[in-house]
Amino acid sequence: MKHSTFRNAVPFAPLVLTIALLLGGCSSDKPEIKNEMSPTAVRTADAVEGTDLIRNPETADTPLDPENGAAIQFEETEHDFGQIKIGDKVTHKFKFKSTGKTALIISNADASCGCTVPSWPRTPIAPGETGEIEVSFNSANKTAGQTTKRVTVSANTFPSQTVLYIKGNLVE
């Protein structure tokens, strides 16, 4: 009887071994990464009125006041290059104005593909000041036809993202 019990237990041995290896393999020698910032690290940027909402984790739950916050107004949100010869690199500057009551801070500008590269001001823009986001498009190795690329601008505004578009007709 013991012999048959042992034979029935053998198929479970690989399962038990696999579970033991998985549980043992879950531990990591990598140091734990903590997302903590010291009070001085939170306030390393220039002390610009109205910017502590995006720098201070304690205020992250504070409701955003669109009436008294930062705002951005673009002269245009879409630019058509017309015909672009394949292989050419074209650039356009999207001009904007900080129209809110607190400083505008652009935290990122993310393009929809690697052939499109935005550059934006990295310093706070006071209310009433202007700026520009330059968007370059490299048409090398593209196929002929209509193309549209998107740049998503993230800032301390409400809503927090504005989408810019460039487009053109690629020709050989």
PDB file of all heavy atoms in Angstrom, residues 2 6-7 12 17 19 21 30-31 64 73-74 84 98 100 105 108 112 119-121 124 126 129 140 159 164 170:
ATOM      1  N   LYS A   2       1.973   1.204   0.756  1.00  0.00           N
ATOM      2  CA  LYS A   2       2.861   2.348   0.778  1.00  0.00           C
ATOM      3  C   LYS A   2       3.447   2.591  -0.601  1.00  0.00           C
ATOM      4  O   LYS A   2       3.660   3.706  -1.000  1.00  0.00           O
ATOM      5  CB  LYS A   2       3.981   2.146   1.797  1.00  0.00           C
ATOM      6  CG  LYS A   2       3.527   2.221   3.205  1.00  0.00           C
ATOM      7  CD  LYS A   2       4.706   2.058   4.122  1.00  0.00           C
ATOM      8  CE  LYS A   2       4.232   2.066   5.548  1.00  0.00           C
ATOM      9  NZ  LYS A   2       5.327   1.893   6.477  1.00  0.00           N
ATOM     10  N   PHE A   6       3.315   6.180  -2.703  1.00  0.00           N
ATOM     11  CA  PHE A   6       4.506   6.864  -3.201  1.00  0.00           C
ATOM     12  C   PHE A   6       4.398   7.111  -4.710  1.00  0.00           C
ATOM     13  O   PHE A   6       4.723   8.176  -5.191  1.00  0.00           O
ATOM     14  CB  PHE A   6       5.754   6.020  -2.884  1.00  0.00           C
ATOM     15  CG  PHE A   6       7.008   6.620  -3.438  1.00  0.00           C
ATOM     16  CD1 PHE A   6       7.538   7.770  -2.870  1.00  0.00           C
ATOM     17  CD2 PHE A   6       7.636   6.059  -4.535  1.00  0.00           C
ATOM     18  CE1 PHE A   6       8.684   8.336  -3.379  1.00  0.00           C
ATOM     19  CE2 PHE A   6       8.782   6.624  -5.049  1.00  0.00           C
ATOM     20  CZ  PHE A   6       9.311   7.758  -4.468  1.00  0.00           C
ATOM     21  N   ARG A   7       3.914   6.146  -5.443  1.00  0.00           N
ATOM     22  CA  ARG A   7       3.773   6.280  -6.880  1.00  0.00           C
ATOM     23  C   ARG A   7       2.776   7.400  -7.212  1.00  0.00           C
ATOM     24  O   ARG A   7       2.963   8.148  -8.142  1.00  0.00           O
ATOM     25  CB  ARG A   7       3.309   4.961  -7.484  1.00  0.00           C
ATOM     26  CG  ARG A   7       3.637   4.875  -8.930  1.00  0.00           C
ATOM     27  CD  ARG A   7       3.323   3.555  -9.535  1.00  0.00           C
ATOM     28  NE  ARG A   7       3.070   2.517  -8.542  1.00  0.00           N
ATOM     29  CZ  ARG A   7       2.681   1.310  -8.829  1.00  0.00           C
ATOM     30  NH1 ARG A   7       2.482   0.962 -10.072  1.00  0.00           N
ATOM     31  NH2 ARG A   7       2.464   0.414  -7.893  1.00  0.00           N
ATOM     32  N   PHE A  12       3.382  14.814  -8.280  1.00  0.00           N
ATOM     33  CA  PHE A  12       3.291  16.118  -7.635  1.00  0.00           C
ATOM     34  C   PHE A  12       4.660  16.704  -7.294  1.00  0.00           C
ATOM     35  O   PHE A  12       4.788  17.875  -7.034  1.00  0.00           O
ATOM     36  CB  PHE A  12       2.427  16.039  -6.370  1.00  0.00           C
ATOM     37  CG  PHE A  12       0.990  15.728  -6.672  1.00  0.00           C
ATOM     38  CD1 PHE A  12       0.464  14.474  -6.414  1.00  0.00           C
ATOM     39  CD2 PHE A  12       0.173  16.686  -7.246  1.00  0.00           C
ATOM     40  CE1 PHE A  12      -0.854  14.195  -6.706  1.00  0.00           C
ATOM     41  CE2 PHE A  12      -1.141  16.403  -7.537  1.00  0.00           C
ATOM     42  CZ  PHE A  12      -1.665  15.152  -7.280  1.00  0.00           C
ATOM     43  N   LEU A  17       8.354  21.285  -6.588  1.00  0.00           N
ATOM     44  CA  LEU A  17       9.667  21.851  -6.880  1.00  0.00           C
ATOM     45  C   LEU A  17       9.528  23.166  -7.652  1.00  0.00           C
ATOM     46  O   LEU A  17      10.197  24.150  -7.355  1.00  0.00           O
ATOM     47  CB  LEU A  17      10.512  20.849  -7.677  1.00  0.00           C
ATOM     48  CG  LEU A  17      11.918  21.303  -8.043  1.00  0.00           C
ATOM     49  CD1 LEU A  17      12.722  21.603  -6.786  1.00  0.00           C
ATOM     50  CD2 LEU A  17      12.613  20.244  -8.882  1.00  0.00           C
ATOM     51  N   ILE A  19       6.976  25.276  -7.650  1.00  0.00           N
ATOM     52  CA  ILE A  19       6.447  26.315  -6.756  1.00  0.00           C
ATOM     53  C   ILE A  19       7.545  26.828  -5.832  1.00  0.00           C
ATOM     54  O   ILE A  19       7.687  28.028  -5.618  1.00  0.00           O
ATOM     55  CB  ILE A  19       5.241  25.768  -5.952  1.00  0.00           C
ATOM     56  CG1 ILE A  19       4.055  25.545  -6.894  1.00  0.00           C
ATOM     57  CG2 ILE A  19       4.865  26.719  -4.824  1.00  0.00           C
ATOM     58  CD1 ILE A  19       2.874  24.837  -6.277  1.00  0.00           C
ATOM     59  N   LEU A  21      10.748  26.884  -6.383  1.00  0.00           N
ATOM     60  CA  LEU A  21      11.677  27.714  -7.157  1.00  0.00           C
ATOM     61  C   LEU A  21      11.085  29.088  -7.457  1.00  0.00           C
ATOM     62  O   LEU A  21      11.778  30.094  -7.411  1.00  0.00           O
ATOM     63  CB  LEU A  21      12.065  27.002  -8.454  1.00  0.00           C
ATOM     64  CG  LEU A  21      13.000  25.807  -8.299  1.00  0.00           C
ATOM     65  CD1 LEU A  21      13.182  25.095  -9.636  1.00  0.00           C
ATOM     66  CD2 LEU A  21      14.332  26.246  -7.742  1.00  0.00           C
ATOM     67  N   LYS A  30      18.123  43.509  -6.033  1.00  0.00           N
ATOM     68  CA  LYS A  30      18.116  44.921  -6.416  1.00  0.00           C
ATOM     69  C   LYS A  30      17.666  45.763  -5.240  1.00  0.00           C
ATOM     70  O   LYS A  30      16.766  45.374  -4.498  1.00  0.00           O
ATOM     71  CB  LYS A  30      17.162  45.158  -7.591  1.00  0.00           C
ATOM     72  CG  LYS A  30      17.614  44.467  -8.858  1.00  0.00           C
ATOM     73  CD  LYS A  30      16.632  44.744  -9.966  1.00  0.00           C
ATOM     74  CE  LYS A  30      17.012  43.983 -11.227  1.00  0.00           C
ATOM     75  NZ  LYS A  30      16.053  44.183 -12.288  1.00  0.00           N
ATOM     76  N   PRO A  31      18.261  46.949  -5.068  1.00  0.00           N
ATOM     77  CA  PRO A  31      17.817  47.812  -3.970  1.00  0.00           C
ATOM     78  C   PRO A  31      16.411  48.332  -4.244  1.00  0.00           C
ATOM     79  O   PRO A  31      16.019  48.522  -5.388  1.00  0.00           O
ATOM     80  CB  PRO A  31      18.836  48.959  -3.991  1.00  0.00           C
ATOM     81  CG  PRO A  31      19.394  48.942  -5.364  1.00  0.00           C
ATOM     82  CD  PRO A  31      19.325  47.528  -5.846  1.00  0.00           C
ATOM     83  N   LEU A  64      -7.650  71.512  -8.575  1.00  0.00           N
ATOM     84  CA  LEU A  64      -7.081  72.545  -9.426  1.00  0.00           C
ATOM     85  C   LEU A  64      -8.124  73.629  -9.661  1.00  0.00           C
ATOM     86  O   LEU A  64      -9.280  73.339  -9.952  1.00  0.00           O
ATOM     87  CB  LEU A  64      -6.652  71.923 -10.761  1.00  0.00           C
ATOM     88  CG  LEU A  64      -5.946  72.828 -11.741  1.00  0.00           C
ATOM     89  CD1 LEU A  64      -4.636  73.333 -11.135  1.00  0.00           C
ATOM     90  CD2 LEU A  64      -5.649  72.085 -13.020  1.00  0.00           C
ATOM     91  N   GLN A  73      -2.264  79.663 -24.390  1.00  0.00           N
ATOM     92  CA  GLN A  73      -3.066  79.941 -25.581  1.00  0.00           C
ATOM     93  C   GLN A  73      -2.129  79.956 -26.792  1.00  0.00           C
ATOM     94  O   GLN A  73      -1.225  80.794 -26.879  1.00  0.00           O
ATOM     95  CB  GLN A  73      -3.790  81.274 -25.456  1.00  0.00           C
ATOM     96  CG  GLN A  73      -4.672  81.570 -26.649  1.00  0.00           C
ATOM     97  CD  GLN A  73      -5.450  82.862 -26.457  1.00  0.00           C
ATOM     98  OE1 GLN A  73      -5.274  83.587 -25.491  1.00  0.00           O
ATOM     99  NE2 GLN A  73      -6.323  83.142 -27.404  1.00  0.00           N
ATOM    100  N   PHE A  74      -2.338  79.009 -27.702  1.00  0.00           N
ATOM    101  CA  PHE A  74      -1.533  78.923 -28.913  1.00  0.00           C
ATOM    102  C   PHE A  74      -2.140  79.771 -30.017  1.00  0.00           C
ATOM    103  O   PHE A  74      -3.365  79.886 -30.125  1.00  0.00           O
ATOM    104  CB  PHE A  74      -1.443  77.469 -29.395  1.00  0.00           C
ATOM    105  CG  PHE A  74      -0.491  76.630 -28.596  1.00  0.00           C
ATOM    106  CD1 PHE A  74      -0.941  75.912 -27.494  1.00  0.00           C
ATOM    107  CD2 PHE A  74       0.846  76.564 -28.929  1.00  0.00           C
ATOM    108  CE1 PHE A  74      -0.073  75.136 -26.754  1.00  0.00           C
ATOM    109  CE2 PHE A  74       1.729  75.799 -28.197  1.00  0.00           C
ATOM    110  CZ  PHE A  74       1.270  75.086 -27.105  1.00  0.00           C
ATOM    111  N   ILE A  84       6.157  68.248 -49.026  1.00  0.00           N
ATOM    112  CA  ILE A  84       7.467  68.040 -48.430  1.00  0.00           C
ATOM    113  C   ILE A  84       8.185  66.991 -49.277  1.00  0.00           C
ATOM    114  O   ILE A  84       7.655  65.885 -49.484  1.00  0.00           O
ATOM    115  CB  ILE A  84       7.362  67.517 -46.978  1.00  0.00           C
ATOM    116  CG1 ILE A  84       6.546  68.475 -46.110  1.00  0.00           C
ATOM    117  CG2 ILE A  84       8.753  67.290 -46.391  1.00  0.00           C
ATOM    118  CD1 ILE A  84       6.185  67.891 -44.746  1.00  0.00           C
ATOM    119  N   SER A  98       1.325  82.768 -22.249  1.00  0.00           N
ATOM    120  CA  SER A  98       0.898  82.342 -20.924  1.00  0.00           C
ATOM    121  C   SER A  98      -0.239  83.277 -20.509  1.00  0.00           C
ATOM    122  O   SER A  98      -0.017  84.449 -20.231  1.00  0.00           O
ATOM    123  CB  SER A  98       2.068  82.436 -19.936  1.00  0.00           C
ATOM    124  OG  SER A  98       1.637  82.146 -18.631  1.00  0.00           O
ATOM    125  N   GLY A 100      -2.667  82.604 -18.043  1.00  0.00           N
ATOM    126  CA  GLY A 100      -3.238  82.356 -16.722  1.00  0.00           C
ATOM    127  C   GLY A 100      -2.804  83.397 -15.713  1.00  0.00           C
ATOM    128  O   GLY A 100      -2.178  84.406 -16.037  1.00  0.00           O
ATOM    129  N   ILE A 105       4.229  76.253 -16.625  1.00  0.00           N
ATOM    130  CA  ILE A 105       5.374  75.353 -16.650  1.00  0.00           C
ATOM    131  C   ILE A 105       5.046  74.198 -17.580  1.00  0.00           C
ATOM    132  O   ILE A 105       4.121  73.414 -17.314  1.00  0.00           O
ATOM    133  CB  ILE A 105       5.720  74.819 -15.249  1.00  0.00           C
ATOM    134  CG1 ILE A 105       6.082  75.989 -14.339  1.00  0.00           C
ATOM    135  CG2 ILE A 105       6.853  73.804 -15.315  1.00  0.00           C
ATOM    136  CD1 ILE A 105       6.304  75.603 -12.900  1.00  0.00           C
ATOM    137  N   ASN A 108       6.511  68.631 -20.422  1.00  0.00           N
ATOM    138  CA  ASN A 108       6.898  67.687 -21.467  1.00  0.00           C
ATOM    139  C   ASN A 108       6.197  68.038 -22.770  1.00  0.00           C
ATOM    140  O   ASN A 108       5.127  68.641 -22.773  1.00  0.00           O
ATOM    141  CB  ASN A 108       6.529  66.258 -21.046  1.00  0.00           C
ATOM    142  CG  ASN A 108       7.182  65.203 -21.901  1.00  0.00           C
ATOM    143  OD1 ASN A 108       8.231  65.441 -22.516  1.00  0.00           O
ATOM    144  ND2 ASN A 108       6.588  64.032 -21.945  1.00  0.00           N
ATOM    145  N   SER A 112       4.387  61.842 -31.531  1.00  0.00           N
ATOM    146  CA  SER A 112       3.763  60.553 -31.831  1.00  0.00           C
ATOM    147  C   SER A 112       4.718  59.578 -32.492  1.00  0.00           C
ATOM    148  O   SER A 112       4.425  58.398 -32.584  1.00  0.00           O
ATOM    149  CB  SER A 112       2.519  60.758 -32.707  1.00  0.00           C
ATOM    150  OG  SER A 112       2.865  61.424 -33.907  1.00  0.00           O
ATOM    151  N   SER A 119      10.885  70.760 -29.189  1.00  0.00           N
ATOM    152  CA  SER A 119      11.704  71.381 -28.138  1.00  0.00           C
ATOM    153  C   SER A 119      10.872  72.502 -27.537  1.00  0.00           C
ATOM    154  O   SER A 119      10.153  73.204 -28.243  1.00  0.00           O
ATOM    155  CB  SER A 119      13.041  71.882 -28.680  1.00  0.00           C
ATOM    156  OG  SER A 119      12.854  72.928 -29.585  1.00  0.00           O
ATOM    157  N   TRP A 120      10.957  72.655 -26.211  1.00  0.00           N
ATOM    158  CA  TRP A 120      10.083  73.585 -25.515  1.00  0.00           C
ATOM    159  C   TRP A 120      10.860  74.295 -24.423  1.00  0.00           C
ATOM    160  O   TRP A 120      11.903  73.823 -23.989  1.00  0.00           O
ATOM    161  CB  TRP A 120       8.883  72.837 -24.934  1.00  0.00           C
ATOM    162  CG  TRP A 120       9.218  71.841 -23.873  1.00  0.00           C
ATOM    163  CD1 TRP A 120       9.208  72.047 -22.528  1.00  0.00           C
ATOM    164  CD2 TRP A 120       9.641  70.481 -24.046  1.00  0.00           C
ATOM    165  NE1 TRP A 120       9.582  70.908 -21.857  1.00  0.00           N
ATOM    166  CE2 TRP A 120       9.859  69.928 -22.770  1.00  0.00           C
ATOM    167  CE3 TRP A 120       9.865  69.673 -25.164  1.00  0.00           C
ATOM    168  CZ2 TRP A 120      10.271  68.623 -22.581  1.00  0.00           C
ATOM    169  CZ3 TRP A 120      10.281  68.374 -24.965  1.00  0.00           C
ATOM    170  CH2 TRP A 120      10.478  67.863 -23.696  1.00  0.00           C
ATOM    171  N   PRO A 121      10.349  75.427 -23.927  1.00  0.00           N
ATOM    172  CA  PRO A 121      11.012  76.161 -22.843  1.00  0.00           C
ATOM    173  C   PRO A 121      11.016  75.330 -21.564  1.00  0.00           C
ATOM    174  O   PRO A 121      10.013  74.743 -21.200  1.00  0.00           O
ATOM    175  CB  PRO A 121      10.155  77.417 -22.658  1.00  0.00           C
ATOM    176  CG  PRO A 121       9.193  77.447 -23.781  1.00  0.00           C
ATOM    177  CD  PRO A 121       9.149  76.096 -24.397  1.00  0.00           C
ATOM    178  N   PRO A 124       9.904  78.406 -16.136  1.00  0.00           N
ATOM    179  CA  PRO A 124       8.539  78.921 -15.997  1.00  0.00           C
ATOM    180  C   PRO A 124       8.333  80.181 -16.849  1.00  0.00           C
ATOM    181  O   PRO A 124       9.238  80.989 -17.014  1.00  0.00           O
ATOM    182  CB  PRO A 124       8.434  79.257 -14.509  1.00  0.00           C
ATOM    183  CG  PRO A 124       9.464  78.397 -13.852  1.00  0.00           C
ATOM    184  CD  PRO A 124      10.590  78.302 -14.841  1.00  0.00           C
ATOM    185  N   ALA A 126       6.069  83.468 -17.084  1.00  0.00           N
ATOM    186  CA  ALA A 126       5.182  84.319 -16.287  1.00  0.00           C
ATOM    187  C   ALA A 126       3.924  84.685 -17.067  1.00  0.00           C
ATOM    188  O   ALA A 126       3.933  84.704 -18.307  1.00  0.00           O
ATOM    189  CB  ALA A 126       5.930  85.582 -15.871  1.00  0.00           C
ATOM    190  N   GLU A 129       3.686  86.571 -20.658  1.00  0.00           N
ATOM    191  CA  GLU A 129       4.856  86.322 -21.500  1.00  0.00           C
ATOM    192  C   GLU A 129       4.512  85.333 -22.613  1.00  0.00           C
ATOM    193  O   GLU A 129       3.539  84.595 -22.533  1.00  0.00           O
ATOM    194  CB  GLU A 129       6.021  85.768 -20.669  1.00  0.00           C
ATOM    195  CG  GLU A 129       6.663  86.794 -19.768  1.00  0.00           C
ATOM    196  CD  GLU A 129       7.893  86.237 -19.049  1.00  0.00           C
ATOM    197  OE1 GLU A 129       8.248  85.050 -19.242  1.00  0.00           O
ATOM    198  OE2 GLU A 129       8.502  86.994 -18.281  1.00  0.00           O
ATOM    199  N   ALA A 140      12.932  61.607 -43.981  1.00  0.00           N
ATOM    200  CA  ALA A 140      13.784  60.562 -44.556  1.00  0.00           C
ATOM    201  C   ALA A 140      13.147  59.188 -44.348  1.00  0.00           C
ATOM    202  O   ALA A 140      12.572  58.908 -43.291  1.00  0.00           O
ATOM    203  CB  ALA A 140      15.168  60.596 -43.913  1.00  0.00           C
ATOM    204  N   PRO A 159      -7.271  71.938 -19.216  1.00  0.00           N
ATOM    205  CA  PRO A 159      -6.748  70.592 -19.026  1.00  0.00           C
ATOM    206  C   PRO A 159      -5.226  70.575 -19.116  1.00  0.00           C
ATOM    207  O   PRO A 159      -4.617  71.511 -19.640  1.00  0.00           O
ATOM    208  CB  PRO A 159      -7.389  69.789 -20.161  1.00  0.00           C
ATOM    209  CG  PRO A 159      -7.677  70.792 -21.225  1.00  0.00           C
ATOM    210  CD  PRO A 159      -7.948  72.091 -20.516  1.00  0.00           C
ATOM    211  N   LEU A 164      -0.840  69.401 -30.461  1.00  0.00           N
ATOM    212  CA  LEU A 164      -0.453  70.165 -31.654  1.00  0.00           C
ATOM    213  C   LEU A 164      -0.295  69.177 -32.812  1.00  0.00           C
ATOM    214  O   LEU A 164       0.144  68.040 -32.599  1.00  0.00           O
ATOM    215  CB  LEU A 164       0.866  70.897 -31.421  1.00  0.00           C
ATOM    216  CG  LEU A 164       0.934  71.796 -30.177  1.00  0.00           C
ATOM    217  CD1 LEU A 164       2.353  72.329 -30.012  1.00  0.00           C
ATOM    218  CD2 LEU A 164      -0.070  72.930 -30.288  1.00  0.00           C
ATOM    219  N   LEU A 170       3.884  64.170 -48.536  1.00  0.00           N
ATOM    220  CA  LEU A 170       5.232  63.736 -48.891  1.00  0.00           C
ATOM    221  C   LEU A 170       5.281  63.368 -50.366  1.00  0.00           C
ATOM    222  O   LEU A 170       4.462  62.572 -50.834  1.00  0.00           O
ATOM    223  CB  LEU A 170       5.653  62.562 -48.026  1.00  0.00           C
ATOM    224  CG  LEU A 170       5.661  62.806 -46.520  1.00  0.00           C
ATOM    225  CD1 LEU A 170       5.977  61.527 -45.760  1.00  0.00           C
ATOM    226  CD2 LEU A 170       6.641  63.889 -46.166  1.00  0.00           C
TER     227      LEU A 170
END
